[in-house]
């Protein structure tokens, strides 16, 4: 029995030099040793900005760094051959590969065409603020660099429901394309901005059967070509759940154990996440944006946050089987669109809460394991230099999940600052089991039961924060300790 750990092996500012795939391949042995069982890779397809693209402005899904398009053959992360080899090496080390897939939009069209549109109110996308008129839009995608290899499908305005740029008048706005599939947006779950189907670039029109067929054909090609094990679906808030269901059923018909997690970012809105799960009939996991929201708030509030409520309103509490828990990602890091960084002092507490408990599938963020630094402009137009230090104790927390965090769980969320839990361990492995105690206030102690099987054993702090041992009494109870603003993980002295 393994405790799964996913690692997001990139951040927004990763690898301008085009060598991420090779670097990840070299890191595979270390990651396996730490207990990582899956790696989430960034989008592999060519983006509209070529080597500067992070992959979320996808231009050609079939170009994985193989064709000279957008000024480069390689992508920001490497070549097609390196991507395939990276996945193979991960799998050889027992690590599954999670491919990041962007199906909401396309950017960097090759040619313009005349398109009939209506301008919409950006704050209420259901409100038209113009009559029907014609614009010039980059909605023709012919992929001349690929020359129809793998697919001869060419995209035009009938393949999109909206754009945000009129090339003729050099005007930026949100335009609803008036095509044969309707004069409005596709149906989505979220009523934010009236209808949040449109996000960016050329919004894909999934009411067009030819488009649906092309995306499913690409999905088969991508799986056959690379052999990935799972998918992270980008921006599913903006895609019709009807197509998502059709696509996932198609992909699982090709690979029935395909793992899928979707990015439906709705911080603090658990009912919305649950509605999406209902609309997709539990076909995929979701990132627990609500729990991340709690972590962010807790890290800001310090000792004033009630730690007994840290899981309230979270997906892992409500639907644990479909919750992928996280402390940070590339969108929440400083200077990014959904900026909400958890303060460094709280990160080790947050990671203990997702890594050492029985519920949820934890996802670790690259900078928290390796550190990162970068420069970029903030919303005020000024340039900032950002340093993201490694998270204290993270490697040991990962190893603790791999080695000891098993078995029956007893919770002690009975104090506003100091909370804890115990894991009794595997029945067939006396070396497993642990006790976790953390505090966002003063130093803490808590009398917790870890089970009679551990009676008389000495436990020590695996993180090395506290040096003194703790001894379990004859009834399986002990007085465990932690320092203020910190976490201790107690494991048995062997």
């Amino acid at each position: 029995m393994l405790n799964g750990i996913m690692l997001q092996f990139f951040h927004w500012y990763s690898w301008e030099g085009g060598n991420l795939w090779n670097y990840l391949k070299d890191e595979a042995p270390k990651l396996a040793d730490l207990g990582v069982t899956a790696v989430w890779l960034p989008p592999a397809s060519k983006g509209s900005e070529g080597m500067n693209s992070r992959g979320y402005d996808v231009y050609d899904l079939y170009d994985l760094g193989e064709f000279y398009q957008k000024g480069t053959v390689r992508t920001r992360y490497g070549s097609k051959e390196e991507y395939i080899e990276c996945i193979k090496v991960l799998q050889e080390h027992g690590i599954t590969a999670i491919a990041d897939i962007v199906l909401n939009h396309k950017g960097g069209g090759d040619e313009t065409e005349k398109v009939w549109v209506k301008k919409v109110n950006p704050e209420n996308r259901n409100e038209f603020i113009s009559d029907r008129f014609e614009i010039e839009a980059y909605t023709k995608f012919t992929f001349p660099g690929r020359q129809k290899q793998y697919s001869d499908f060419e995209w035009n305005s009938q393949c999109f429901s909206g754009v945000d740029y009129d090339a003729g008048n050099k005007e930026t706005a949100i335009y609803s394309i008036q095509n044969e599939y309707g004069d409005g947006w596709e149906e989505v779950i979220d009523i934010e901005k009236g209808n949040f189907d449109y996000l960016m670039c050329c919004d894909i029109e999934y009411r067009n059967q030819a488009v649906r067929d092309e995306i499913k054909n690409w999905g088969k090609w991508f799986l056959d070509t690379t052999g990935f094990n799972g998918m992270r679906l980008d921006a599913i808030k903006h895609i019709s759940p009807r197509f998502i269901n059709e696509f996932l059923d198609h992909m699982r018909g090709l690979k029935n154990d395909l793992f899928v997690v979707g990015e439906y970012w709705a911080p603090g809105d658990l009912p919305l996440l649950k509605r999406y799960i209902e609309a997709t009939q539990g076909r995929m996991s979701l990132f627990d944006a609500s729990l991340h929201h709690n972590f962010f708030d807790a890290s800001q509030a310090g000792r004033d946050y009630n730690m007994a409520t840290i899981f309230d309103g979270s997906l892992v509490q409500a639907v644990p089987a479909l919750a992928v828990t996280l402390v940070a990602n590339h969108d929440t890091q400083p200077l990014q669109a959904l900026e909400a960084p958890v303060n460094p002092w709280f990160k080790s507490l947050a990671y203990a809460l997702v890594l050492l408990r029985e519920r949820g599938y934890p996802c670790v963020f690259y900078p928290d394991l390796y550190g990162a630094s970068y420069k970029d402009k903030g919303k005020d137009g000024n340039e900032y230099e950002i340093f993201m230090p490694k998270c204290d104790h993270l490697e040991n927390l990962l190893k603790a999940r791999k080695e000891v965090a098993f078995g029956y769980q007893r919770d002690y969320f009975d104090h506003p600052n100091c909370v804890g839990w115990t894991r009794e361990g595997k029945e067939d492995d006396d070396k497993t089991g642990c006790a976790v105690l953390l505090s966002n206030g003063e130093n803490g102690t808590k009398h917790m039961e870890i089970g009679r099987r551990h009676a008389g054993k000495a436990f020590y702090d695996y993180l090395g924060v506290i040096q003194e041992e703790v001894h379990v009494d004859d009834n399986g109870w002990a007085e465990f300790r932690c320092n203020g603003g910190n976490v201790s993980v107690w494991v048995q002295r062997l």
Side-chain angles (χ1 to χ4, degrees), residues 93-146:
H93 285 84
I95 300 173
T96 59
I98 310 298
D100 201 332
I101 294 177
V102 183
L103 300 179
N104 178 69
H105 51 266
K106 297 181 76 66
D110 299 299
E111 302 172 28
T112 62
E113 57 185 334
K114 296 290 187 180
V115 180
W116 287 98
V117 300
K118 287 183 180 179
K119 193 181 293 187
V120 303
N121 178 350
E123 297 306 315
N124 179 7
R125 311 292 174 76
N126 289 324
E127 179 188 346
F128 294 121
I129 56 176
S130 79
D131 293 327
R132 191 171 181 264
F133 69 105
E134 201 172 43
I135 68 168
E136 191 176 337
Y138 278 96
T139 48
K140 289 199 73 174
F141 290 76
T142 59
F143 314 112
R146 180 160 52 82

Side-chain angles (χ1 to χ4, degrees), residues 76-325:
R76 184 183 183 91
Y77 311 116
S79 70
K80 174 186 176 181
E81 292 77 12
E82 291 164 354
Y83 181 64
I84 294 170
E85 179 65 15
C86 176
I87 290 174
K88 179 182 176 183
V89 170
L90 288 173
Q91 292 168 342
E92 288 172 351
H93 285 84
I95 300 173
T96 59
I98 310 298
D100 201 332
I101 294 177
V102 183
L103 300 179
N104 178 69
H105 51 266
K106 297 181 76 66
D110 299 299
E111 302 172 28
T112 62
E113 57 185 334
K114 296 290 187 180
V115 180
W116 287 98
V117 300
K118 287 183 180 179
K119 193 181 293 187
V120 303
N121 178 350
E123 297 306 315
N124 179 7
R125 311 292 174 76
N126 289 324
E127 179 188 346
F128 294 121
I129 56 176
S130 79
D131 293 327
R132 191 171 181 264
F133 69 105
E134 201 172 43
I135 68 168
E136 191 176 337
Y138 278 96
T139 48
K140 289 199 73 174
F141 290 76
T142 59
F143 314 112
R146 180 160 52 82
Q147 298 184 333
K148 303 187 187 302
Q149 190 168 341
Y150 307 129
S151 171
D152 61 2
F153 189 87
E154 294 188 355
W155 297 66
N156 59 37
S157 62
Q158 292 300 308
C159 302
F160 303 107
S161 60
V163 293
D164 62 0
Y165 185 64
D166 175 2
N169 294 318
K170 294 181 170 56
E171 181 185 13
T172 299
I174 299 178
Y175 304 98
S176 171
I177 293 177
Q178 307 299 287
N179 60 31
E180 63 183 89
Y181 305 102
D183 60 0
W185 306 106
E186 291 187 72
E187 182 181 350
V188 293
I189 297 296
D190 200 345
I191 60 172
E192 184 181 353
K193 299 185 185 299
N195 176 300
F196 218 169
D197 176 19
Y198 186 83
L199 176 64
M200 60 187 287
C201 300
C202 297
D203 188 73
I204 295 177
E205 174 62 270
Y206 282 114
R207 291 171 293 196
N208 182 333
Q209 180 66 50
V211 167
R212 296 202 305 274
D213 290 344
E214 171 63 8
I215 292 296
K216 288 188 291 184
N217 289 339
W218 170 80
K220 181 181 188 306
W221 172 87
F222 187 45
L223 180 61
D224 291 344
T225 300
T226 67
F228 62 85
N229 305 95
M231 302 186 296
R232 180 262 186 190
L233 296 184
D234 182 64
I236 56 173
K237 177 190 287 191
H238 312 282
I239 304 175
S240 167
R242 188 174 302 172
F243 173 71
I244 292 292
N245 292 345
E246 182 179 334
F247 180 69
L248 294 186
D249 289 349
H250 167 73
M251 295 301 292
R252 289 206 174 105
L254 304 170
K255 181 177 174 59
N256 61 14
D257 61 346
L258 190 71
F259 170 79
V260 184
V261 58
E263 182 222 8
Y264 198 108
W265 205 251
D269 197 345
L270 176 62
L272 190 56
L273 296 181
K274 292 172 73 174
R275 282 207 301 276
Y276 191 82
I277 288 172
E278 182 179 350
T280 52
Q281 299 177 320
R283 282 177 169 85
M284 66 175 144
S285 300
L286 297 179
F287 289 106
D288 197 343
S290 296
L291 181 60
H292 173 270
H293 181 71
N294 290 355
F295 287 160
F296 173 73
D297 285 349
S299 77
Q300 299 290 317
R303 65 180 303 153
D304 294 329
Y305 190 90
N306 184 355
M307 290 297 295
T309 67
I310 192 69
F311 287 108
D312 286 5
S314 67
L315 187 64
V316 73
Q317 185 181 67
V319 193
L322 296 179
V324 174
T325 53

Side-chain angles (χ1 to χ4, degrees), residues 463-476:
L463 307 184
V465 178
I466 295 175
Q467 301 305 312
E468 298 83 359
E469 290 184 344
V470 165
H471 294 269
V472 180
D473 68 20
D474 291 342
N475 294 314

